[in-house]
Amino acid sequence: MDMQATFKLATLAVAILAALGGCAGTSSNNGAPIGPALASTMPEATETPPRPTACPPAVPAAASCLTGVDSRGAIYLIAKPANWNGVLVLHAHGGPNLEAPSAQRAAEDLTRWAVMVDAGYAWAGSTFRQGGVAVRAAAEDTERLRGIFRRYVGKPTRTILHGQSWGAGVAAKAAGMFTAQTVGETPYDGVLLSSGVLAGGSRSYDFRTDLRVVYQSLCHNHPRPAETQYPLNLGLPAGAKMTQADLSARVNECLALDKPAANRTPEQQARVQTIEKVIRIPASAIHSHMSWATFHYQDISSKRTGGASPFGNMGVTYAGSPDDAALNAGVARYSADPAAYQRFAADTDPTGKIPVPVLAVKWISDPTAFVELDSYFKSVMDRGGSGERLVQTFTTQGTHSYISSPTYPTLVTALLAWIEQGAKPTPASIAAACPANEARFGAGCSFDPGYTPAALESRVPARNRP
């Protein structure tokens, strides 16, 4: 049978299974249901071979790099060390970007994670087929890249699925979607989650809704009184045009975040301090979270959830302002649309059903992905029956985007020992192992083996949910 006929037969088989009800609940890029193994059972022969490309300068000089565009339009980049140890680190990036995929994004990801190649691991990362907040689609694109690597580069002895920031949610979703039962082989031997947004879309973004309404109650300029009013939990209405520069101008007009605190007016500094205390984020993080609560919320409500918002703040009691009673009486209140909430949760929320070892790391003071999100993720893993397959670690130093160079090889080494020898690591054993990697990868070990995060609702107020 020729290749074209094979592909037609595979496509017909999928269609028959779907008609018989044999395919359940994952999603395509627009949220429509598809079969659980559709992305993974796509014949690898439909993917064109990658082509050689120059590696980013941060990658070890002896490594080789490949690039390509997959059958769904995602750009990818692969790096293979000269002395490859046989392990593939399959990367799911953070963000997400709202723009179309770009080769520059792939190069930036590899540059950031060049330490993986330096440690002897092959690395592969997809830009994902589209911009926007679509977790299952990104998981499918990541799994598709695994097939491309196996066909055109080599069959790894082990595959570690690494998710960073928002990509940690992608990895957690992919690890539950693609298993030996759904793809006919074990796709991932272990999962590494770093700086993860791990409470799913239904909970991870609640504080950004709170930020948006508290900001508006203080600043009254997003939207301005003379502009068309809209529910703030939409981010922006579908089709509304605003640029990052426009948003920055409004935020700086009210809060002067572009100035040192000493150069703000007393009124501006008072507003900044109110947001810091009520939302519990530093001034340096306000603008980035306002951007999410504007542009990413617009992507979600207009493209993912049928024009309605999955976010709400009904039932929230805000605290920390000079006058909490006035604040709570004055902020806008919104209920999450039930259908939008369920649709967004289905796409983004982890299930806790991951059949392989999972190792996570979080900087305790991360202002982007709160450490309390990891407490919630642990409860999800426990409820999903995978709690014993999760080890969480925490550091006292770092940034959201990158904790430190010795941190990641230490974690991968511990994860591989768990996979291959059954030696389940502990936070203490990982903390003890890290300093040995500093001579090669530089200083930066700061694991705190005794740290346990508080419950998410200790950081983000509870609210009514559909």
Side-chain angles (χ1 to χ4, degrees):
M1 184 179 296
D2 64 23
M3 189 176 299
Q4 183 177 9
T6 301
F7 176 71
K8 289 181 177 178
L9 183 59
T11 303
L12 179 61
V14 171
I16 292 172
L17 283 171
L20 293 174
C23 294
T26 65
S27 71
S28 67
N29 64 344
N30 64 3
I34 64 170
L38 181 57
S40 192
T41 56
M42 180 182 296
E44 292 178 1
T46 65
E47 302 293 341
T48 58
R51 63 183 185 279
T53 189
C55 293
V59 175
S64 58
C65 287
L66 299 167
T67 189
V69 180
D70 75 14
S71 58
R72 297 301 300 273
I75 300 167
Y76 60 84
L77 191 55
I78 294 168
K80 182 181 177 184
N83 296 314
W84 181 34
N85 60 19
V87 175
L88 168 64
V89 174
L90 186 63
H91 180 72
H93 71 68
N97 291 349
L98 298 181
E99 300 79 19
S102 72
Q104 179 182 354
R105 174 63 204 244
E108 290 172 353
D109 289 334
L110 178 51
T111 295
R112 180 178 301 175
W113 300 104
V115 66
M116 297 295 194
V117 185
D118 192 22
Y121 310 118
W123 183 96
S126 169
T127 62
F128 311 141
R129 74 187 80 157
Q130 61 178 353
V133 190
V135 171
R136 287 179 180 265
E140 293 164 2
D141 296 339
T142 301
E143 168 63 7
R144 189 176 303 106
L145 178 55
R146 184 185 71 88
I148 292 170
F149 186 97
R150 288 174 61 85
R151 177 174 178 82
Y152 293 112
V153 181
K155 293 187 176 180
T157 56
R158 298 292 182 191
T159 298
I160 302 301
L161 178 59
H162 174 216
Q164 160 71 15
S165 186
W166 180 79
V170 173
K173 181 68 73 173
M177 288 171 61
F178 302 107
T179 66
Q181 286 69 40
T182 62
V183 303
E185 62 183 9
T186 299
Y188 317 122
D189 298 288
V191 181
L192 175 62
L193 306 175
S194 59
S195 305
V197 180
L198 290 171
S202 67
R203 282 177 168 78
S204 294
Y205 309 144
D206 285 340
F207 77 99
R208 289 175 174 144
T209 304
D210 298 337
L211 171 61
R212 189 70 192 275
V213 299
V214 170
Y215 173 91
Q216 186 68 357
S217 75
L218 297 171
C219 299
H220 309 290
N221 70 356
H222 187 31
R224 300 184 190 280
E227 295 175 331
T228 300
Q229 303 299 295
Y230 56 87
L232 299 178
N233 62 345
L234 293 176
L236 288 170
K241 303 298 182 184
M242 175 180 276
T243 67
Q244 285 284 359
D246 295 334
L247 177 62
S248 295
R250 295 186 188 218
V251 171
N252 289 327
E253 170 190 296
C254 179
L255 305 178
L257 297 178
D258 56 340
K259 298 177 181 178
N263 293 344
R264 297 170 189 150
T265 67
E267 293 79 12
Q268 289 169 333
Q269 182 60 13
R271 295 179 198 121
V272 170
Q273 290 176 338
T274 294
I275 290 173
E276 287 182 312
K277 292 177 181 178
V278 174
I279 310 301
R280 301 182 65 183
I281 56 175
S284 60
I286 292 173
H287 183 273
S288 62
H289 289 307
M290 280 292 291
S291 178
W292 255 93
T294 300
F295 302 111
H296 286 75
Y297 272 30
Q298 181 189 39
D299 176 88
I300 293 163
S301 63
S302 64
K303 297 180 180 179
R304 318 294 166 190
T305 55
S309 176
F311 308 117
N313 67 331
M314 296 298 292
V316 172
T317 300
Y318 297 106
S321 73
D323 187 341
D324 289 340
L327 175 64
N328 281 283
V331 297
R333 298 284 177 172
Y334 302 99
S335 295
D337 179 85
Y341 182 90
Q342 295 301 329
R343 185 170 181 176
F344 193 52
D347 183 68
T348 63
D349 285 8
T351 64
K353 300 180 184 297
I354 300 178
V356 297
V358 180
L359 189 53
V361 63
K362 176 69 66 66
W363 172 37
I364 293 168
S365 299
D366 192 328
T368 301
F370 299 157
V371 71
E372 291 84 0
L373 295 171
D374 290 60
S375 177
Y376 184 80
F377 183 67
K378 184 180 186 304
S379 71
V380 171
M381 290 287 282
D382 288 341
R383 292 195 300 271
S386 302
E388 288 301 310
R389 290 189 284 276
L390 173 67
V391 172
Q392 295 175 302
T393 65
F394 303 93
T395 68
T396 60
Q397 302 294 323
T399 68
H400 171 70
S401 297
Y402 197 79
I403 294 174
S404 75
S405 290
T407 294
Y408 303 105
T410 299
L411 292 166
V412 176
T413 298
L415 187 54
L416 288 169
W418 187 4
I419 294 163
E420 295 175 351
Q421 303 162 24
K424 183 178 179 179
T426 65
S429 69
I430 290 171
C434 189
N437 282 318
E438 290 187 315
R440 179 176 176 185
F441 301 107
C445 295
S446 67
F447 288 101
D448 181 350
Y451 182 80
T452 300
L456 180 57
E457 289 186 352
S458 71
R459 178 73 173 263
V460 181
R463 64 205 61 221
N464 301 339
R465 299 185 185 278

